[in-house]
Structures are given as structure tokens and as C-alpha cells.
Amino acid sequence: MNKLSVLTRAFSSSSSLNAVKTVTVVGGGLMGSGIAQVAAQAGQNVTIVDLKPELLEKAQKSIQQNLTRVAKKVHKDDAAKVEAFVQDAASRIKVSTKVEDGVNADLIIEAIVEKLGVKQELFNKLDSLAPEHTILASNTSSISINAIGAGIKRKDRFGGLHFFNPVPIMRLLEVIKGDHISEETYQTMMEWGKSVGKTCITCKDTPGFVVNRLLGPYSAEALRMYERGDATKEDIDIGMKLGAGYPMGPFELADYTGLDTNKFALAILYEQTGDPVFRPIPILDKMVAEGKLGIKSGEGFYKYKK
Ligand code: CAA
Ligand code: NAD
């Protein structure tokens, strides 16, 4: 299926939606804003919760821009339809700095910082506030789903929904089955994934799930190759694009994903597996400590215009 038909399918699937009609996304950063966008495009009512009003404004601006990109692809030069598409989807998105404003939803997806304690605290709160039927899900890259949900009561209505960056374009959704997820919750998650235009694959709650278990060693080896001075970062990037057909090289991808997310994910994989391929990488630690987080901070391995 090509990119355009995926975008069109997402937009036209709202009529077939059954269980999930309202979605809350906690964390309106890179991933959360994309998740909110695809849900709104699919006709669902969405609330985004983040810590500060300015972060919510940033999320809304980025969603508006990305909706316009999608609308231009779907409706080509028909300016009125482009405008209507954007306004229609954007009108379904509310924002708030209070998690309490987002608890009345069929599905709540967490996309906050990749730290176990912070995620656990949020899920414990959501579990106590959300209605009985609400499904809770984490978009974690690499933390164990069972560990994130350890303190909640509704373990049967909890799992992983792991999206890929950029969410509106990447066609995959990994549905992660924790040890206690019910068949009904799992099926609802799979159906919901399809309703927002994604192809869903399933993985047990294992370190890195499918994609990051494979991308982690690739990224780590590229960083070490650069650290050793085997080749320049530019040449490594060119090598993987032209020699392996990847859309981005490993340094472009690290900047795109966020070096902080990359560092946390490798640390968690190392803790979970003990595999030395995931051991700390000094250059990554140094860059994160200096605030060089990639595109989101304006500089990572490369520099970006704000
Ligand atoms: N929203 C809507 N549309 C977007 C978009 C967004 N956020 N980002 C890009 N696009 C669209 C562009 O408008 C463009 O559309 P047209 O082809 O119709 O012009 C198309 O996507 C391609 O974009 P660009 O021309 O700007 O640039 P590109 O051709 O280099 O593609 C890319 C950009 C899609 C990001 C591509 O480089 C790519 O696929 N990179 C690899 C991304 C990847 O590997 N992601 C997974 C990371 S791992 C992860 O996410 C998991 C984790 O836990 C960390
Ligand atoms: P990000 O830094 O862009 O956004 C995180 C957002 O969460 C920020 O806006 C922050 O203000 C907000 N936040 C933090 N704590 C909060 C709280 N307690 N309540 C409400 N909001 C809070 O990060 P991101 O890249 O969007 O990553 C979010 C999650 O998605 C992480 O778990 C990450 O591992 C995962 N993920 C990231 C990628 C990627 O490529 N960046 C891909 C897949 C999954």
C-alpha cells in the first residue's frame, strides 16, 4: 500500500470505528502530537495533555502544519478541501495542562519522557481517575510494559502502542502484549491501530520489542564507528543510504529521533539484556549532557535552523 492510500484510509476510516471514539494523549511532544494528529484525522475526539501551555501551543502548531502536508497530498490543489480537512481534524483536538481533563476517554496513550518512575507515577494516577472501561497504553520505545503497569489495577486493560517517528508517515504500529492484557483489550488495540491507518504487528513484552531490538545495535555500532574515527558521520550516513537503501543514515536518524531518547533507550536495553552492544557510548552521553539533542534542540550530530 502506498503512502497516499494509507493517509486516505486513515481519513475515511472514521465510519467503521466502534469501540474507541475518544482518545487522550499525555505528552504532546514529537510522538504525542503525531499520535493526536492521526487519531483526529480518523474522526476521533482527542485531548492532548502536556505540562505547560507553551508546549501545547507548539504541539498544535506542528499538528496544523503536518495536517496541511497530509491534506495537500489527499486533496492536491483544491484549496477549499485542504482548508476543510485541516479545520475538521484540528477542531477535534482539545488541549489541557491538567491530566484530569483527559481522563474521560476510551483510550489514553502516554507519550511522555522515557523514564520508568515518571511513567509509573502517571499510570497510577490515570488508573485511579479514568472510568472503568478506559484502556491505558504506553508508547514507550524500550521500557518493559509490565514494569510500567506494575502499580495499576486494570492490568487487563493496559498494553503498549508503539508508534514510529514521524507518526503521520510511518505505517507501522507495534502492539505490545503485557502479561495480563485481556484478549478483548488486545483486539481493541489492533482495531484501533487499523482505524488510524497503521499496519499492526504484535510483540511480547521483550526488550526493544521488534524494531528497536534491531535498530538499537545498528545505531550503537554506528556511534562507536564514528567515535573510533573509522569514517566520518557524513560518510557513514551516505553509506547506509546508498549502500543499504535506508531513508536516513544512523546520525540523521539519531538527530531525528532525539539523542536523549536514543540514550535512554540504549541504557534500558543494556539494563534489560546485559548485551555489551548496548553499553554506554561516551559521545552520546557527552552530547546529551551538552543539550545537543538533535533536531528538537537545533543541534545534534548536525545543525538545524530553528
Ligand atoms: N507529517 C506529515 N507528512 C510528513 C511528515 C510529518 N511529520 N514528515 C514528512 N512528511 C511527508 C513530507 O511532506 C513528504 O511528502 P511528499 O513525499 O508528498 O512530498 C514526505 O513525507 C517525505 O518527506 P521529506 O520530503 O520532508 O523528506 P524525506 O523524503 O527525507 O522523508 C522521512 C522524511 C519520511 C522522515 C524519511 O526520511 C524516513 O522515512 N526516515 C526514516 C524514519 C525512521 O526510520 N523512523 C523510525 C525511527 S525509530 C522509531 O521511531 C522508534 C523509536 O522508538 C525511537
Ligand atoms: P518529547 O521530548 O518530544 O515529548 C515528551 C513530552 O512529554 C514533552 O512535551 C514533555 O513536556 C511531556 N511530558 C513529560 N512529562 C509529562 C507529564 N508527567 N505529563 C504530561 N506531559 C509530560 O519525546 P518523544 O520523542 O515524543 O517521546 C515520547 C515517548 O515516545 C517516549 O517514551 C519515547 O521513548 C517514545 N518514542 C519516541 C520515538 C522518537 O522517535 N522520538 C519513537 C517511538 C517512541
Side-chain angles (χ1 to χ4, degrees):
M1 196 184 297
N2 64 31
K3 261 195 261 172
L4 181 58
S5 60
V6 169
L7 295 170
T8 314
R9 186 162 66 114
F11 189 56
S12 62
S13 63
S14 53
S15 57
S16 64
L17 199 65
N18 291 320
V20 176
K21 293 191 172 61
T22 50
V23 178
T24 290
V25 183
V26 187
L30 204 57
M31 297 304 289
S33 58
I35 298 168
Q37 177 183 336
V38 295
Q41 272 171 223
Q44 298 158 24
N45 293 316
V46 182
T47 303
I48 308 174
V49 179
D50 207 310
L51 300 172
K52 293 184 195 153
E54 57 267 32
L55 295 169
L56 290 165
E57 264 171 48
K58 195 176 158 199
Q60 283 175 303
K61 205 172 155 202
S62 131
I63 291 171
Q64 191 89 12
Q65 281 166 354
N66 288 330
L67 277 172
T68 307
R69 286 164 110 170
V70 171
K72 283 185 176 161
K73 261 176 253 168
V74 177
H75 297 297
K76 305 268 181 316
D77 296 329
D78 190 332
K81 280 192 178 163
V82 167
E83 175 73 10
F85 178 102
V86 174
Q87 290 317 319
D88 186 47
S91 70
R92 279 192 284 274
I93 302 176
K94 288 189 302 182
V95 298
S96 177
T97 52
K98 294 193 200 84
V99 83
E100 288 78 3
D101 292 339
V103 290
N104 280 314
D106 300 321
L107 173 65
I108 304 180
I109 304 173
E110 166 274 313
I112 66 169
V113 64
E114 187 73 343
K115 289 192 177 161
L116 177 61
V118 187
K119 287 192 193 284
Q120 283 175 329
E121 194 183 320
L122 173 67
F123 276 104
N124 293 347
K125 188 167 181 185
L126 291 172
D127 190 34
S128 68
L129 294 174
E132 191 71 13
H133 79 285
T134 303
I135 293 176
L136 305 180
S138 174
N139 178 53
T140 180
S141 298
S142 48
I143 303 178
S144 156
I145 287 297
N146 290 326
I148 293 173
I152 65 171
K153 294 196 181 74
R154 64 181 82 200
K155 290 186 169 58
D156 57 324
R157 281 152 287 150
F158 171 69
L161 287 173
H162 184 216
F163 284 85
F164 293 81
N165 180 25
V167 178
I169 295 295
M170 301 309 279
R171 289 149 59 181
L172 185 69
L173 176 64
E174 289 183 325
V175 177
I176 313 305
K177 289 178 108 173
D179 288 351
H180 307 286
I181 190 170
S182 69
E183 184 58 23
E184 192 186 340
T185 300
Y186 165 66
Q187 291 300 343
T188 304
M189 284 181 160
M190 295 290 281
E191 275 304 308
W192 179 76
K194 272 191 248 162
S195 84
V196 297
K198 302 302 175 197
T199 297
C200 299
I201 61 170
T202 306
C203 190
K204 289 182 190 162
D205 185 21
T206 51
F209 318 128
V210 172
V211 175
N212 284 343
R213 186 68 179 260
L214 299 174
L215 269 184
Y218 160 71
S219 168
E221 287 302 329
L223 289 160
R224 288 196 188 96
M225 190 180 274
Y226 170 58
E227 238 177 9
R228 286 194 303 267
D230 295 353
T232 63
K233 58 183 187 305
E234 290 82 4
D235 278 358
I236 300 170
D237 277 344
I238 291 172
M240 294 313 291
K241 284 189 286 189
L242 303 190
Y246 285 24
M248 285 176 169
F251 298 95
E252 292 167 331
L253 183 59
D255 277 1
Y256 196 69
T257 303
L259 267 56
D260 50 344
T261 298
N262 207 338
K263 173 183 151 75
F264 292 141
L266 286 173
I268 293 157
L269 287 168
Y270 188 44
E271 193 184 298
Q272 289 176 348
T273 65
D275 187 332
V277 76
F278 299 118
R279 71 192 182 278
I281 302 168
I283 191 154
L284 190 58
D285 293 347
K286 181 170 176 287
M287 290 177 71
V288 172
E290 289 168 356
K292 293 178 183 166
L293 306 181
I295 295 175
K296 66 182 167 187
S297 71
E299 185 176 350
F301 288 101
Y302 300 101
K303 287 192 175 157
Y304 303 88
K305 287 196 190 110
K306 289 247 177 183

